Amino acid sequence: MESGGRGRGPEGENENEPDQVATAIQRMADLLERMVNQQGQGQGQNAGNPGGNTENNNHDREDRALERFQKFAPPKFVGGPNPDIAEGWLERMLDIFAALGYTEERQISFATFQFEGAARAWWNVIKTKWEREQTPWTWVNFTREFNEKYLPPIVQERREDEFIRLRQGALSVAEYETQFTKLSRFAPDLVLTEQRRVRSFIQGLNVELQEALAAVQVDTISQALEKAQRIEAARGQVKAFQERKRRQPSSSTYTPGQSSKNEPPTKLGRGVGGPRPIGTPGRGNFGRGQAGRGPQRGGQRGGQSSGPRSTCNFCGGNHPSDNCWKQGSVRKCFRCGSTEHLIAQCPKAPHEGTSTPQAGGTTPKPINAGGNRPKVPARVYAMGHQEVTDPSAVIEGTLSLFGVPQTF
């Protein structure tokens, strides 16, 4: 029995041995499969290989982009009949997206994320229509739908007219571009393509900028804006330089007493103290007073110089002003100064028939019996001014007329 039992024992062990080996192999295979799967998951997370983790990565990037968008505090929009509120909300969205630089599809997704109430219900209808008609998710299409819903037609027409009439004028290029972008959404058909947008932008610039951009290849609105700003800056520098040059004083300075280049030179005459303009008191100008007169040749030729004499301020005679016979209400004789008679009846006058030696041997004029000189026809003498070619031939001197010295 024992021998028989021991004989069957090895045979029984041989029958169970294949099952144990197969079980161990299966366990090892399962372990290796789990290890491979773990390694594949790690590589997918690190390298971003295609698989189930790609969708998770896209969601992560979308969440981070939405978080950046929310940091700008975008306003909510609930709709309503007020066009100013709708226009202000759309302008705010444009400002935020200009800073973020997102794609147009993402811009529409984030903008509609701010809809609430009636605006959310309206957008659900528009989104279904776009999916059915396969409308591209572009900002132009979204703006058209938004304007048709929340901006009355009269407001859109007014804004479209403003866009058509928009010109730079006194605005800078940057200010003009801001107005262009603000009003262009009300005329989407005019800026449907980039070429139309560039053409409309250039046509609104000033003429000098249009001429400068005519010879430049411009494909996008950003290129047109950059080149226009560069041209504007260069022209501003030239204008500032010309303004500074115009305000600077000229190199030629004016010296007092120096005549202008276009002014003819002043004619000068001779006299004491240097040259004297013709027309001032001096030789050849007859008048009273001694100022500005030239040297008297008569006094030099006589060889005698008279002492200082006082001149009357009333009549110009050679006597003091307080002893002038012509002052006062009482008439006096001009010969002797008596108040009892005049010069015609002056007893000191020479009588008829007598001869008094005169200077130069001249004969005195006769006097009638009444003591008066015979009357003669009245005569008028006039003195004129005439230029002389030889000044050395002119004789100058001082004569006394009616007791008043005159210079000739």
Side-chain angles (χ1 to χ4, degrees):
M1 295 291 295
E2 291 179 359
S3 61
R6 285 194 294 269
R8 291 191 299 269
E11 293 179 358
E13 290 179 358
N14 295 332
E15 293 177 356
N16 296 332
E17 185 176 358
D19 296 335
Q20 295 178 356
V21 172
T23 302
I25 293 173
Q26 185 66 32
R27 288 179 180 177
M28 292 178 63
D30 294 339
L31 181 60
L32 291 174
E33 184 178 1
R34 285 197 300 268
M35 293 176 62
V36 169
N37 291 335
Q38 291 179 358
Q39 291 179 358
Q41 291 179 0
Q43 292 177 359
Q45 292 178 358
N46 297 329
N49 60 330
N53 295 325
T54 304
E55 185 177 357
N56 295 332
N57 295 334
N58 293 335
H59 285 301
D60 292 340
R61 287 194 295 269
E62 193 75 13
D63 293 341
R64 287 194 296 269
L66 182 60
E67 183 179 357
R68 290 181 57 196
F69 172 73
Q70 292 294 340
K71 288 182 179 180
F72 286 89
K76 297 290 184 178
F77 183 72
V78 296
N82 192 345
D84 294 335
I85 296 178
E87 187 175 358
W89 177 86
L90 193 59
E91 289 180 1
R92 179 57 180 166
M93 291 294 104
L94 289 174
D95 295 339
I96 294 175
F97 293 141
L100 293 175
Y102 290 162
T103 61
E104 293 188 4
E105 184 176 356
R106 179 172 290 182
Q107 291 178 11
I108 296 174
S109 300
F110 287 178
T112 56
F113 184 77
Q114 300 302 114
F115 286 164
E116 292 181 352
R120 169 61 62 180
W122 166 80
W123 173 245
N124 291 333
V125 175
I126 297 299
K127 182 172 64 174
T128 303
K129 185 184 71 171
W130 281 14
E131 292 175 355
R132 181 178 63 254
E133 298 177 356
Q134 295 183 356
T135 303
W137 281 51
T138 62
W139 190 258
V140 174
N141 294 334
F142 173 77
T143 304
R144 182 187 296 107
E145 298 285 355
F146 186 86
N147 291 339
E148 291 178 358
K149 175 62 178 177
Y150 294 105
L151 294 178
I154 186 173
V155 177
Q156 295 186 44
E157 293 176 1
R158 189 182 303 116
R159 296 292 191 272
E160 185 177 358
D161 293 340
E162 292 179 2
F163 175 75
I164 295 174
R165 296 192 304 267
L166 179 62
R167 296 295 181 271
Q168 179 185 357
L171 300 176
S172 64
V173 176
E175 294 173 345
Y176 166 72
E177 191 274 336
T178 301
Q179 293 295 326
F180 180 86
T181 304
K182 177 181 178 181
L183 297 175
S184 62
R185 66 175 179 270
F186 297 102
D189 296 335
L190 299 179
V191 292
L192 186 60
T193 61
E194 189 69 15
Q195 293 180 353
R196 291 184 179 182
R197 187 178 181 87
V198 171
R199 183 170 63 251
S200 299
F201 178 81
I202 295 178
Q203 289 177 352
L205 293 172
N206 292 334
V207 178
E208 58 272 13
L209 295 180
Q210 294 185 31
E211 294 177 352
L213 291 175
V216 180
Q217 181 67 26
V218 179
D219 298 328
T220 61
I221 191 68
S222 60
Q223 293 179 0
L225 175 61
E226 180 185 1
K227 294 182 184 300
Q229 287 180 333
R230 289 182 179 275
I231 297 172
E232 181 186 39
R235 290 181 177 273
Q237 293 177 359
V238 173
K239 185 177 180 181
F241 173 76
Q242 293 177 351
E243 186 68 17
R244 291 194 302 267
K245 185 177 180 181
R246 186 181 63 84
R247 292 181 179 180
Q248 289 179 355
S250 59
S251 58
S252 60
T253 57
Y254 173 75
T255 304
Q258 180 180 2
S259 61
S260 176
K261 295 182 179 179
N262 297 328
E263 182 180 355
T266 306
K267 295 182 179 180
L268 303 177
R270 296 188 303 172
V272 179
R276 176 178 68 252
I278 293 178
T280 57
R283 188 184 63 188
N285 297 311
F286 303 98
R288 298 181 181 180
Q290 304 293 333
R293 293 177 179 172
Q296 300 178 0
R297 297 182 180 180
Q300 295 177 358
R301 291 181 180 179
Q304 295 179 357
S305 61
S306 60
R309 295 179 296 177
S310 59
T311 304
C312 179
N313 295 330
F314 182 78
C315 65
N318 296 328
H319 55 265
S321 300
D322 55 355
N323 194 22
C324 182
W325 298 338
K326 297 182 180 180
Q327 295 187 23
S329 60
V330 181
R331 299 291 300 275
K332 296 181 180 181
C333 178
F334 287 169
R335 185 179 295 277
C336 63
S338 175
T339 58
E340 297 179 355
H341 59 268
L342 299 177
I343 189 173
Q345 292 84 20
C346 183
K348 294 184 179 181
H351 297 284
E352 185 179 359
T354 63
S355 61
T356 304
Q358 299 292 333
T362 60
T363 305
K365 296 181 179 180
I367 302 177
N368 55 17
N372 297 328
R373 294 181 180 178
K375 297 182 179 180
V376 296
R379 297 180 181 179
V380 178
Y381 296 91
M383 297 182 181
H385 175 72
Q386 182 179 2
E387 295 288 341
V388 295
T389 58
D390 187 8
S392 62
V394 179
I395 300 176
E396 298 180 351
T398 303
L399 298 178
S400 178
L401 296 178
F402 300 100
V404 179
Q406 299 294 336
T407 301
F408 299 90

